[in-house]
Amino acid sequence: MNFKHLLWLALLALAFTGCGASEGITQLNITNATTLTALEVTPATTTVPVGIATQFRAQGSFSDGSNQDLTSSVTWTSGDPAVATVNNLGGVSGVAPGGPVTITAAFEGISATGTVTVSNAVLESIAVTSVSTSLPVGATQQLTATGQFSDGTSLDLTPGVTWGSTDAAIVDVSASGLALGVSAGQASATAVLNAVTGTLLLTVTPLTERQFLITPDRVGNTASVRQLDLAT
């Protein structure tokens, strides 16, 4: 057998090996593909007054054992929009007294449900809370608004209230209720819904040298570094 024959056989063997490797990779990808196996909607059941919104969530379980929040990915529907509506992010609003109404989340051929009953209870007060009422300049803190109703029930109103601040130069509050310490001092965060207001007094403390050194990326230039250093 001459050199040309040997070279030809070697090339054939290499090509065959390459095809086998490609097929092996394809089979591995198919075997390792994850699929949705179950959906869970929370809360399973709840009550919401007319004109008030509450949040439903969808949790997906997959074939590889993992879980994922699919709230913004599923398709939401209401069994009776005349009583309760649901938006594409799982926000459920009471329209008229009645129910229970079935709220359905569907994704990749799998669905799950929760129920909501709409009452005629009236919002009486709003309590604004946080893990702490003190935060340093530059730090953020999530606020929570809880509504108390005339029928004795309470409901998390955080996504439905209008958030604000009595002094945005000290504490700035985003539309989702995230408070940011802007400068040292005191200001109240406010939550308003249906002409009912809740407040929480927050204290913003100056940055200490240690706090500054831990978060140097929040400072944009050398002048700011010197100014913060002198303030401490």
Side-chain angles (χ1 to χ4, degrees):
M1 186 178 290
N2 58 33
F3 176 75
K4 288 184 178 180
H5 288 158
L6 289 173
L7 180 59
W8 178 248
L9 288 174
L11 290 173
L12 284 175
L14 180 61
F16 180 79
T17 302
C19 290
S22 175
E23 290 174 359
I25 292 173
T26 302
Q27 292 172 358
L28 180 63
N29 288 339
I30 293 174
T31 301
N32 289 344
T34 60
T35 57
L36 180 68
T37 57
L39 269 179
E40 180 184 13
V41 170
T42 55
T45 183
T46 190
T47 298
V48 61
V50 172
I52 303 297
T54 190
Q55 181 66 48
F56 274 59
R57 296 192 176 279
Q59 182 85 358
S61 298
F62 291 84
S63 56
D64 63 353
S66 64
N67 297 300
Q68 185 178 344
D69 185 352
L70 298 177
T71 303
S72 60
S73 301
V74 299
T75 299
W76 292 97
T77 55
S78 168
D80 191 349
V83 175
T85 60
V86 59
N87 63 25
N88 58 4
L89 295 178
V92 174
S93 299
V95 177
V101 175
T102 300
I103 303 298
T104 303
F107 188 73
E108 294 185 352
I110 296 178
S111 63
T113 63
T115 62
V116 59
T117 298
V118 181
S119 73
N120 56 7
V122 177
L123 179 64
E124 294 184 334
S125 64
I126 297 175
V128 178
T129 57
S130 179
V131 292
S132 174
T133 57
S134 177
L135 68 162
V137 170
T140 58
Q141 206 156 265
Q142 180 61 50
L143 306 176
T144 300
T146 303
Q148 301 294 329
F149 293 87
S150 57
D151 61 356
T153 61
S154 61
L155 190 67
D156 182 2
L157 301 178
T158 304
V161 299
T162 299
W163 290 99
S165 171
T166 56
D167 192 341
I170 296 176
V171 176
D172 184 60
V173 183
S174 72
S176 62
L178 188 66
L180 168 67
V182 179
S183 62
Q186 287 188 319
S188 291
T190 61
V192 182
L193 182 65
N194 294 351
V196 179
T197 302
T199 63
L200 179 66
L201 182 64
L202 296 172
T203 300
V204 180
T205 58
L207 284 171
T208 66
E209 183 178 359
R210 180 179 294 274
Q211 288 170 325
F212 167 70
L213 291 174
I214 291 175
T215 57
D217 57 313
R218 296 194 68 87
V219 180
N221 51 60
T222 305
S224 296
V225 173
R226 290 173 181 167
Q227 183 177 1
L228 288 170
D229 194 35
L230 289 174
T232 59

